[in-house]
Amino acid sequence: MAKNLVIVESPAKAKTIEGYLGKDFVVKSSYGHVRDLVKKGIAIDIENNFHPHYEVSADKKQVVAELKKLAKEAEVVWLATDEDREGEAISWHLYETLNLNKKETKRITFNEITKSAITKAIENPRQINQELVNAQQARRVLDRLVGFELSPVLWKKVRPSLSAGRVQSVAVRLIVEREKEIMKFNSESFFRLNAIFTKGKEKIKAEYAKHLTNAAEVKTLLEKCKASNFQVTDVSQKPATKTPAQPFTTSTLQQEASLKLGFSVSRTMSVAQRLYEAGKITYMRTDSVNLSDTAIEGAKNEIESAYGKEYSKPTKYKTKNANAQEAHEAIRPTDFSKHSIDGENEEVRLYELIWKRSIASQMSHAELERTVVKIGAPSIEESFNAKGEVIKFDGFLRVYLESKIEDEDDENENEESTLLPIVFKGDNLDKDVLRATQRYSRSAPRYVEASLVKKLEELGIGRPSTYAPTISTIQKRGYVEKKERDGEERKYAVVELKNNTITEVEKTEITGKEKNKLSPTDIGIVVTEFLIEHFERILDYNFTAKVEAEFDDIANGLCEWTKMIHEFYSPFHKSVEDTLEHSERATGERELGIHPVSGKKIIVRIGRFGPMVQVGDEKEDGEKPQFASLQKNQSINTITLEDALELFKLPRTLGEFEDLVVKANVGRFGPYIQHAKAFVSIPKEESPMSIDLDRAIELILAKREADANKIIKLFPENEDVQLLNGRWGAYLKIGKDNFKLPKDTNVEALTLAECLTIAENQPVGKKKFGAKKTAEKTVAPKKTTVKKTTVKKPTAKKK
């Protein structure tokens, strides 16, 4: 057996490292955390100085058993998990769980998975850093306390099955407040006047120095321009430089990958993790922009080799954030000579982005010459300005130019800097065309994932390891969603002076079209408003940032973690008790008006199964109210009385099919078609208010065929056991539980006994689905035949 056992947290990382170490080392993976807070109950002994109770995860017991065995046989155990707080905590949990001996255990860290970095780490081991562990423990304990105590408040005061989190709730607040800002915003129109002047055959594009308020003002100005002779009133030329962006941190990588590659935050981190574990890039969770001397030298050599010495400008960057979690390096390639790599398409694209950003940060500044030409006439109040830009030396621009989040939302027709013809002050110019286009002021844009990360970082909320899970969590919990908006048609005016004639035309455009923008759901808004009212401190941006800073102090040994938890918990727990006892239920209720027939009050609110419209009040009318669920594209904050009344036309009877009634309706899980006992989902782009019988029959038949093809094999002796086709391939279903099938399994050849064995070896929730227990549940043999049939479309009767 090998003398040395190296434990890392992922199999991919283990495989890469094993290739660099000799036969005396065996590298194994813990597959992430091996233990966590006990799932049942709060798992924190509040009376005993917030002592946390941990347990080995059910799916890690076999891993722990194997690692214990290997650790006993090894002379030295090397804990080589990631170098951040989470990695330090994994090492500490391994040390505790495996009952390791301090003398025989060494902690090693490295910023990149290369042979030199691994060798250097082995030569410089250390002990587990308890301050880093405590910082992670503090975050974990605090988040459990907040979630465990706040969630029941939401169940009782808002709706069952809701949950809250310290950082997640603040992130949702940002999105809710942006949505309210947009809803309150009143757009105002103005006119932007652009002109094309000519000097001989050369054209000069220019823009009037101020915006005009209305068409009348535009026409007055154009009348003056019609009778005016224009000339160049000033020419200014100034040298300028552009500097490269700093190397990537976690947040800037997430932002740039979103803008340039269209990656979500979680996808970026997943791909970056694979690149790191394969030894291609440095560690991907960092808030440092620092590059090591070795990296700077490597970049310098590659720049001089590929582009020439004049392109090289070695630069040492310093992190502005004083509370950067650890003094690590920025994200960079481990080998600058590799401009690209082999691998999955998304890995290749992200690697190239990291390589370009890193190499550009060490390149010379770009040298430019900017020219501004002012054009005017004696009778015209302001000048027309033409801007041009010439690149004298491209420098880092040869490789990379940073994207700006603001550019994504810029609909303005800003004049691009272009090459201008040579003109001099006093030159006379001819008018080709002057065109004033009506534009509209715009509210602040909804957040995309990249801009939300940027905002969280600006406010000091969260850290590199928390951005991606925070954004994923608020979407999974149904507080935030990515909405696609088709936009709406808008009219705008264009007033033009050409050939000494002024014309005005009306045009149309689509405005407000959006994709992948983060919007709060109705329940997200109601929960946020409730938490702000009763737990203002928890949702305060400055307080959340202060908590993050306290985690930093704990990591630096400046603060005792249990003291910090105590100072937080006492006032928080008091607020929980007070809210449970004294607060009213929160439903987001809004009155829309009176029903035109019954005269009863119509309101919208959050119900047990989501947003709904209610007609009548049992207390006021003495009759049971009527209810209707809102459709997916509707909100309790914006729905009108007319739209609400339309919902009560559901369910709609479409006609008959196979002598049975077909209805369209909206339920808890969205719009659907009902035919006898069959329920068929209506696609999200279609509406239950407009779908017809023919389309409904198409959906019914398609569902039948899909259901028939779903079944691979049934077992007459135990009807609970089924082998089925799913979205991700074949799987085993026993009762209500699903199980993965081993790779390369011949599914159709599986026996009942083999299926039960597969189930026995996979955990389901907190307990395993026992083969013995399942076998006892057998029923009398029943012949089951599955036929794949083609269903003929019968004649339909329409109503």
Side-chain angles (χ1 to χ4, degrees), residues 208-472:
Y208 194 57
K210 75 171 189 177
H211 292 157
L212 306 169
T213 55
N214 52 52
E217 188 181 0
V218 170
K219 289 174 183 175
T220 300
L221 178 61
L222 291 183
E223 285 291 350
K224 290 182 182 179
C225 291
K226 189 196 293 188
S228 299
N229 294 316
F230 288 86
Q231 64 176 211
V232 176
T233 59
D234 186 58
V235 178
S236 63
Q237 291 180 322
K238 292 181 181 178
T241 59
K242 274 188 179 177
T243 58
Q246 297 175 326
F248 280 132
T249 61
T250 301
S251 69
T252 55
L253 175 64
Q254 290 168 347
Q255 292 166 47
E256 196 75 344
S258 172
L259 297 173
K260 277 192 161 65
L261 308 180
F263 286 8
S264 68
V265 167
S266 56
R267 184 182 179 191
T268 298
M269 294 312 292
S270 174
V271 178
Q273 178 99 24
R274 297 203 300 269
L275 289 173
Y276 166 68
E277 290 175 347
K280 307 295 185 187
I281 63 170
T282 52
Y283 191 55
M284 67 285 153
R285 281 188 276 273
T286 176
D287 41 18
S288 171
V289 293
N290 176 52
L291 293 178
S292 67
D293 293 338
T294 305
I296 292 173
E297 184 64 24
K300 176 177 176 287
N301 294 336
E302 187 56 32
I303 291 165
E304 291 181 357
S305 171
Y307 307 110
K309 286 188 177 183
E310 67 275 19
Y311 282 90
S312 176
K313 189 180 187 303
T315 306
K316 196 87 171 172
Y317 294 94
K318 289 187 178 180
T319 304
K320 291 179 183 178
N321 178 12
N323 286 324
Q325 198 178 102
E326 280 82 331
H328 298 152
E329 274 196 82
I331 303 167
R332 62 165 175 83
T334 54
D335 184 352
F336 280 102
S337 68
K338 292 182 179 178
H339 294 215
S340 186
I341 59 166
D342 295 325
E344 298 287 334
N345 180 258
E346 58 185 4
E347 293 173 8
V348 171
R349 293 173 69 202
L350 191 65
Y351 177 85
E352 287 180 354
L353 184 66
I354 293 167
W355 184 89
K356 287 177 180 179
R357 174 80 164 227
S358 303
I359 208 82
S361 75
Q362 299 301 306
M363 292 179 74
S364 303
H365 297 173
E367 296 173 12
L368 317 169
E369 184 179 78
R370 288 181 178 144
T371 302
V372 177
V373 175
K374 292 190 174 183
I375 301 164
S379 60
I380 307 302
E381 181 184 350
E382 301 286 343
S383 65
F384 286 85
N385 299 327
K387 297 178 182 179
E389 187 173 276
V390 177
I391 297 175
K392 295 291 188 180
F393 174 65
D394 55 3
F396 76 93
L397 293 175
R398 184 163 178 180
V399 173
Y400 178 84
L401 179 62
E402 182 183 23
S403 299
K404 299 290 183 186
I405 288 173
E406 295 78 14
D407 296 341
E408 290 286 288
D409 296 294
D410 190 6
E411 287 182 353
N412 296 336
E413 299 166 7
N414 291 328
E415 197 69 39
E416 291 183 10
S417 294
T418 55
L419 188 64
L420 295 174
I422 297 172
V423 291
F424 300 96
K425 184 177 179 180
D427 283 355
N428 292 318
L429 302 176
D430 295 321
K431 302 184 292 287
D432 182 9
V433 61
L434 280 76
R435 184 179 296 114
T437 305
Q438 188 179 20
R439 296 290 80 196
Y440 294 84
S441 59
R442 302 177 67 228
S443 66
R446 290 181 176 89
Y447 289 106
V448 291
E449 288 192 0
S451 57
L452 182 59
V453 166
K454 184 179 182 183
K455 187 66 176 178
L456 289 169
E457 186 178 40
E458 285 173 0
L459 294 171
I461 297 168
R463 286 295 180 263
S465 60
T466 65
Y467 299 136
T470 295
I471 291 172
S472 295

Side-chain angles (χ1 to χ4, degrees), residues 607-619:
R608 186 179 178 189
F609 300 120
M612 66 179 192
V613 182
Q614 177 180 326
V615 177
D617 186 313
E618 194 166 359
K619 291 179 182 177

Side-chain angles (χ1 to χ4, degrees), residues 545-559:
K546 178 176 172 285
V547 169
E548 293 293 345
E550 288 175 339
F551 290 151
D552 295 333
D553 288 343
I554 294 167
N556 293 321
L558 303 175
C559 174

Side-chain angles (χ1 to χ4, degrees), residues 74-90:
E75 292 179 10
V76 180
V77 176
W78 304 80
L79 300 174
T81 52
D82 292 339
E83 58 183 345
D84 59 5
R85 296 172 195 171
E86 206 68 32
E88 203 72 19
I90 292 174

Side-chain angles (χ1 to χ4, degrees), residues 536-549:
E536 187 178 7
R537 186 164 172 251
I538 292 289
L539 263 73
D540 180 76
Y541 300 132
N542 292 329
F543 175 74
T544 308
K546 178 176 172 285
V547 169
E548 293 293 345

Side-chain angles (χ1 to χ4, degrees), residues 705 708-709 785-791:
E705 188 171 350
N709 293 337
T785 311
V786 180
K787 291 182 180 179
K788 185 175 177 182
T789 57
T790 304
V791 184

